Amino acid sequence: MPIEITVDLYLLAINEVSEAKETLKTTAFLRVVWNDAFLQWDPTNYGGIKRAFWLQGDVWKPDIALKNSNLDYKELGVQTLNIINSNDGNISWYPFHVFESTCTIDIKYFPFDYQTCYLKFQAWSYWKSETICSTLITIFALSLLRMSSFDETVAKPRVLVCFMRCLKCKSCHKGPSDTPKRVTRTSDESSTSDVEYSWTEVVNFLDVVLFVIFACIHVGSALGCFLPAQLHL
């Protein structure tokens, strides 16, 4: 299940604005809140304790980083910083940092100019397209596992059979082994129908198709990240 994370920025000071370097240095801290289902407990079983404090390195936390940082990317907070864990699984984390970010500065109307600078934070390891591609992969994997247990009495979707027939060119290349099998059902079930493929063949076919699709997605996303970077070198 995806974890919803709330991030708020509390600005403490603007330390420096460099027009020549086009950088902004600030002192601030974040308020990061999420819920961890694995860190829940019943206070009645633990002496009425409703809140616990853990070192930030001892529990899972989002790997949030400043996307438009002008310096090396560093972990937020320090190892001795505690996070606050409530018994309902809600976790609050307040990492502090001195941020140096890039900022495009336009001094055309100096000294009456106004500048707008952004601090852009993101989860560094996982992009939204990726808590989505991973979810789809899991759903399809579970669906294929379920379908592999079906026997021939379970009807196959006609759209899927037609799709397989088109891609495999079954209608164009019929051989002796292409003789359709018939499954006779009792009167209280669906009427007799022709079965061209077994469920094992269907699962194997979908496995290959989905593998190709997700491989193309990952390769395309990787090229989309690295090619623009190479062009700017």
Side-chain angles (χ1 to χ4, degrees):
M1 292 293 293
I3 298 177
E4 182 177 348
I5 301 172
T6 302
V7 181
D8 297 311
L9 175 69
Y10 294 85
L11 181 64
L12 301 178
I14 299 178
N15 303 328
E16 180 185 357
V17 178
S18 176
E19 298 176 349
K21 297 180 180 179
E22 293 189 314
T23 58
L24 170 69
K25 182 180 291 186
T26 56
T27 300
F29 70 91
L30 299 178
R31 177 179 178 268
V32 188
V33 179
W34 70 95
N35 187 277
D36 192 332
F38 295 100
L39 292 177
Q40 299 178 356
W41 69 90
D42 186 353
T44 58
N45 297 331
Y46 296 91
I49 297 177
K50 296 183 178 180
R51 181 178 294 182
F53 297 86
W54 316 102
L55 293 177
Q56 71 170 39
D58 291 344
V59 299
W60 180 90
K61 63 182 185 302
D63 56 343
I64 297 175
L66 181 63
K67 182 179 180 180
N68 60 330
S69 175
N70 191 53
L71 302 174
D72 294 337
Y73 293 101
K74 298 180 180 179
E75 180 183 12
L76 294 181
V78 294
Q79 293 300 323
T80 56
L81 182 65
N82 286 334
I83 67 168
I84 305 173
N85 181 196
S86 301
N87 66 284
D88 58 359
N90 287 329
I91 295 181
S92 301
W93 180 38
Y94 299 88
F96 53 87
H97 211 77
V98 176
F99 300 102
E100 184 170 330
S101 57
T102 58
C103 179
T104 302
I105 297 179
D106 184 3
I107 58 174
K108 181 178 180 180
Y109 300 103
F110 180 84
F112 304 104
D113 54 314
Y114 289 89
Q115 308 296 336
T116 302
C117 298
Y118 297 94
L119 297 178
K120 302 177 182 178
F121 294 92
Q122 72 172 28
W124 192 250
S125 296
Y126 301 98
W127 294 356
K128 184 182 294 184
S129 59
E130 292 177 340
T131 334
I132 295 175
C133 191
S134 298
T135 302
L136 289 177
I137 290 175
T138 303
I139 292 174
F140 284 126
L142 293 175
S143 299
L144 291 177
L145 185 62
R146 174 59 179 159
M147 285 190 293
S148 64
S149 65
F150 291 165
D151 55 28
E152 298 309 318
T153 61
V154 180
K156 302 174 185 66
R158 190 173 297 274
V159 175
L160 180 59
V161 173
C162 293
F163 183 56
M164 292 180 63
R165 186 185 304 158
C166 291
L167 291 186
K168 289 191 172 185
C169 297
K170 243 347 192 181
S171 59
C172 300
H173 304 284
K174 289 187 177 181
S177 60
D178 294 326
T179 304
K181 303 175 183 179
R182 303 185 72 87
V183 176
T184 305
R185 301 180 179 178
T186 59
S187 57
D188 58 339
E189 295 178 330
S190 301
S191 60
T192 304
S193 61
D194 292 337
V195 180
E196 295 186 64
Y197 302 99
S198 66
W199 274 110
T200 301
E201 291 177 303
V202 172
V203 171
N204 291 337
F205 172 78
L206 290 177
D207 188 46
V208 173
V209 171
L210 293 175
F211 172 79
V212 173
I213 291 175
F214 284 110
C216 292
I217 292 175
H218 282 292
V219 172
S221 61
L223 292 177
C225 292
F226 291 111
L227 287 182
Q230 292 295 324
L231 293 176
H232 287 82
L233 291 178

